[in-house]
Amino acid sequence: MLVDSHCHLDKLDYEQLHTGIDDVLAKAKARGIDYCLSVGVTLDSFPTMMEMIEPHDNVFASCGVHPLDIEAGFDYDKLKEYAQHERVVAIGETGLDYHYQPELAEQQKEIFRQHVRLAVELNKPLIIHTRLAREDTLQILREEGAEKCGGVLHCFTESLEMAQAAIELGFYISISGIVTFNKASELKNVVNQLPLERLLVETDSPYLAPIPYRGKQNQPAYVREVAEYIGLLKGVSVEEVERVTTDNFFTLFSRAKRS
């Protein structure tokens, strides 16, 4: 059993690659992926995403505004309303991205703080996106008491020191298909040094398909390649990676229930 702990099911190709979400989930099930967390990135798209996943008890949801989507609109009251939906098990995707939009750093930081405050209030874990913003990300998490709700640094590509600092705050580190890339030597080293008990696996579908699918659109079924590669790196069986990362998922996202 595996969990794709971070995917964007509403962004997959349903015209040429998949006939619908049932098809996506069937392909994942055929490879032993029994659960998915569909992650929201804008408030406008959240209702459509929820309508899509509603019939599927094995798909959970998060609600948030991605730091690269803040110009699409941010409404705290609407975020809070959506975040209290019973299927929403986490707050995010939120965080900081200074790679693509450093000019919006101050606005990103304020909106990030509001996400963290809401997560603490609702006691729902955070899903964090961080890129070229290590110090500010950790500072805001500490200042806003994020250790009270916990969370995950998703699609992790940062330093070992940042991962360890996040773990000290009670966070998990989620590994995507990037770990399979030939040039991802730093990330491979990070994965080697972190305990499996603090790792999650994800696809970030439809982005970042792992080898041997690199260049194609990603999908939840491909999280198996991520798990297998982590097993090779750490010298453990894929079954061990499956067991531990699945337990980690349901420990962190405690409102997500195994069926």
Side-chain angles (χ1 to χ4, degrees), residues 172-193:
Y172 289 76
I173 307 299
S174 185
I175 307 302
S176 72
I178 292 175
V179 75
T180 70
F181 296 177
N182 293 331
K183 294 183 179 181
S185 56
E186 182 180 4
L187 179 58
K188 298 177 201 292
N189 180 57
V190 170
V191 171
N192 263 326
Q193 297 192 59

Side-chain angles (χ1 to χ4, degrees), residues 203-223:
T203 59
D204 201 16
S205 310
Y207 317 108
L208 302 172
I211 292 174
Y213 306 107
R214 192 173 184 186
K216 299 180 180 179
Q217 187 179 98
N218 208 354
Q219 59 177 292
Y222 298 164
V223 79

Side-chain angles (χ1 to χ4, degrees), residues 97-158:
D97 192 314
Y98 298 167
H99 176 75
Y100 286 111
Q101 292 186 327
E103 72 278 6
L104 295 180
E106 292 306 312
Q107 189 177 356
Q108 286 186 34
K109 286 192 284 188
E110 177 53 34
I111 290 175
F112 181 28
R113 286 186 185 275
Q114 293 187 53
H115 279 82
V116 179
R117 291 167 189 165
L118 180 61
V120 172
E121 178 184 342
L122 299 181
N123 193 29
K124 292 188 177 183
L126 288 153
I127 298 174
I128 306 296
H129 171 106
T130 179
R131 191 167 185 188
L132 297 184
R134 296 175 183 179
E135 293 182 6
D136 285 353
T137 298
L138 290 170
Q139 180 180 351
I140 289 173
L141 291 175
R142 290 175 179 133
E143 290 178 354
E144 299 296 340
E147 72 279 359
K148 297 174 185 175
C149 61
V152 58
L153 300 188
H154 108 91
C155 194
F156 193 79
T157 55
E158 302 294 332

Side-chain angles (χ1 to χ4, degrees), residues 157-168:
T157 55
E158 302 294 332
S159 66
L160 176 62
E161 291 74 22
M162 185 179 193
Q164 292 170 332
I167 288 172
E168 289 177 4

